[in-house]
Amino acid sequence: MNTHARDAFGHDTTADEVLEGIDLTGKLALVTGGSSGLGAETARALASKGARVVITARDLAKAQSVLADIKSATGNQDIAVEELELASFDSIRAFAQRFLEKYGALDILINNAGVMACPKGKTEDGFERQFGTNHLGHFLLTTLIAPALIKSGSARVVSVSSAGHRFSPVVFEDVNYENRDYEKWQAYGQSKTANALFAVGLNGRLKDHGVEAFSIHPGAIPTDLARHMSEEEIEGFRQRAESGEMRLKTVESGAATQTYAATAPELEGHGGAYLADCRICTVDDTIDGLSNDGMSFVSSYAIDPEAAERLWVLSEEATGGRLAV
Ligand SMILES: NC(=O)c1ccc[n+]([C@@H]2O[C@H](COP(=O)([O-])OP(=O)(O)OC[C@H]3O[C@@H](n4cnc5c(N)ncnc54)[C@H](OP(=O)(O)O)[C@@H]3O)[C@@H](O)[C@H]2O)c1
């Protein structure tokens, strides 16, 4: 019997609680950025329910130790790691080819890997690093491995966005910061808006093929994501957390919403939605995105179907990725 009522899920719900009563035996899940933080915890939670899990990592040695921890914590030995550098289209294409050759139907894809507020830089293919890694990399990956998702007949794709999407819409005229000053938080926001819009565009294209896509905000969780933040910025976050203005989550709770979006039967038919705290968010364009309330809403520009279409066209042109449907 479930001890946690599904309609009472919220801020502190953990990934394990979300999966109570759910059997993932026979399902294949792919989690990008499984070498740390929320990706590692999501992979562990899915593996604990019998899923076969593949995590991707750019640092294989780091991921091997996560893999060993997951195997020993869950007893599930059907966990693998594959190399994937999302800032390189060559690496993504090579991974997708290996993946399609090695594995069959893909039931759950969690596009979780991400970089936040890094100094100005470019991906191997010349795109602004945050937009290129967080969005374009996952766009190309997903379009290339879509045949495996369609083969499932009932698949979910989860795009790990952020309440940080409120820092910026996608600025279509200049996604790469070629004609405006680079601002690292704005660039993160643009990439996270793109993550949410990608779920809208993907869901529209694949829902009739048995694939539903969602985007989520995981919460505010202390992880290695903060690696590019200055001491001053970290102190600012610490003060907001201490004053109660920004409630923090543990990694176990931080992984809950993506695990929920990937598995909750009650989300069927709601593809394209943006979730936080294991709930579908409604739109609010006025609230401070980093306040506790702000984290429970989505900006209209992040789920706008027209912007999603515009982003899709831009992303196809940038990556060469095209869905074969
Ligand atoms: N933590 C939060 O408060 C928070 C809030 C909102 C949204 N999010 C989102 O949650 C997701 C997971 O973040 P996290 O908090 O778990 O951070 P994390 O611990 O830093 O994990 C990020 C993962 O992404 C991988 N990654 C980064 N750049 C990559 C690249 N170029 N190619 C391949 N993999 C790459 C990292 O690999 P390495 O181990 O090699 O670095 C790591 O496995 C991100 O998309 C983030 O934007 C987090």
Side-chain angles (χ1 to χ4, degrees), residues 91-112:
S91 172
I92 296 167
R93 288 193 196 100
F95 166 80
Q97 192 178 342
R98 282 196 316 276
F99 183 84
L100 292 172
E101 282 165 9
K102 264 195 204 173
Y103 300 95
L106 177 60
D107 305 289
I108 295 171
L109 167 60
I110 305 196
N111 286 328
N112 161 85

Side-chain angles (χ1 to χ4, degrees), residues 173-200:
E173 295 71 27
D174 189 15
V175 288
N176 287 309
Y177 286 85
E178 282 157 346
N179 303 311
R180 54 187 170 139
D181 289 339
Y182 179 74
E183 201 289 307
K184 64 183 186 175
W185 289 107
Q186 194 189 61
Y188 180 64
Q190 169 174 263
S191 76
K192 291 287 134 180
T193 295
N195 286 156
L197 290 173
F198 176 50
V200 175

